[in-house]
Amino acid sequence: VSPRRIVASSDVEQSYIMIKPDGVQRGLVGEIISRFEKKGFLLKGLKLFQCPKELAQEHYKDLKERPFFPKLIDYITSGPVICMAWEGDGVVASARKLIGATNPLQAEPGTIRGDLAVQTGRNVVHGSDSPDNGKREIALWFKEGELAQWESVQTPWLIE
Ligand code: IDP
Ligand code: MG
């Protein structure tokens, strides 16, 4: 069974989480990954990647009429990003909570954006906004074979 088939046929929820170029440049990669690890979700894919313009445009296609769209594409393609696939029941909504509000000044302390960022245009991390978009975005950012099929030894201590 190929990794792609596992994702496509899986009922398990997955979220596409991406550390944006500012998070990489500011040395926040370990800190941000650590928050998802400690929460107890399962990391299924991870890579450092320089995003081509076309991929950034496709990823953010719902925002293409917005005035900030060209700047958003420049931002996301301005340096390498960390692409991640995280798995677990409720991971999409939970990751959005861990990440915090889009505007870091409105994000609660304790959230990634609330603790680590000050501007919407430099908000360090992306998280899928629905399970369907989680699937769509993981298929967009990862190639076949890039996702691992594994279970953590922690799973029985996280899920009863
Ligand atoms: P989200 O990342 O919290 O889901 P979205 O509304 O989906 O927020 O916007 C996607 C990304 O576009 C944001 O994370 C941010 O990087 C950028 N963005 C959204 N609104 C603005 C804005 O008003 N000015 C500049 N950048 C924005
Ligand atoms: Mg969004």
Side-chain angles (χ1 to χ4, degrees), residues 46-77:
L46 171 73
K47 64 180 176 184
L48 179 79
F49 181 64
Q50 176 65 55
C51 171
K53 217 168 195 124
E54 304 71 47
L55 178 56
Q57 287 165 339
E58 177 63 23
H59 175 78
Y60 282 123
K61 66 179 177 196
D62 291 349
L63 299 172
K64 72 169 181 288
E65 306 304 333
R66 306 293 288 274
F68 58 82
F69 186 73
K71 274 173 68 179
L72 173 59
I73 300 307
D74 286 348
Y75 165 44
I76 295 302
T77 59

Side-chain angles (χ1 to χ4, degrees), residues 68-120:
F68 58 82
F69 186 73
K71 274 173 68 179
L72 173 59
I73 300 307
D74 286 348
Y75 165 44
I76 295 302
T77 59
S78 64
V81 295
I82 298 286
C83 309
M84 292 178 278
W86 286 93
E87 184 175 288
D89 284 341
V91 65
V92 168
S94 179
R96 298 276 296 185
K97 279 193 183 170
L98 292 173
I99 288 168
T102 304
N103 181 344
L105 293 184
Q106 270 140 39
E108 294 296 327
T111 65
I112 295 167
R113 288 168 175 167
D115 289 348
L116 304 175
V118 290
Q119 272 201 345
T120 303

Side-chain angles (χ1 to χ4, degrees), residues 4-5 19 25 28 34-35 37 43 60 62 69 78 87 95 98 108-110 123 131 138:
R4 177 56 55 88
R5 267 198 62 208
I19 304 176
Q25 289 288 350
L28 298 173
S34 177
R35 297 194 179 206
E37 267 190 317
L43 182 62
Y60 282 123
D62 291 349
F69 186 73
S78 64
E87 184 175 288
L98 292 173
E108 294 296 327
N123 61 4
I138 287 167

Side-chain angles (χ1 to χ4, degrees), residues 29-49:
V29 169
E31 162 86 31
I32 293 170
I33 292 176
S34 177
R35 297 194 179 206
F36 296 98
E37 267 190 317
K38 286 184 207 162
K39 173 72 175 170
F41 292 119
L42 186 65
L43 182 62
K44 300 305 277 289
L46 171 73
K47 64 180 176 184
L48 179 79
F49 181 64

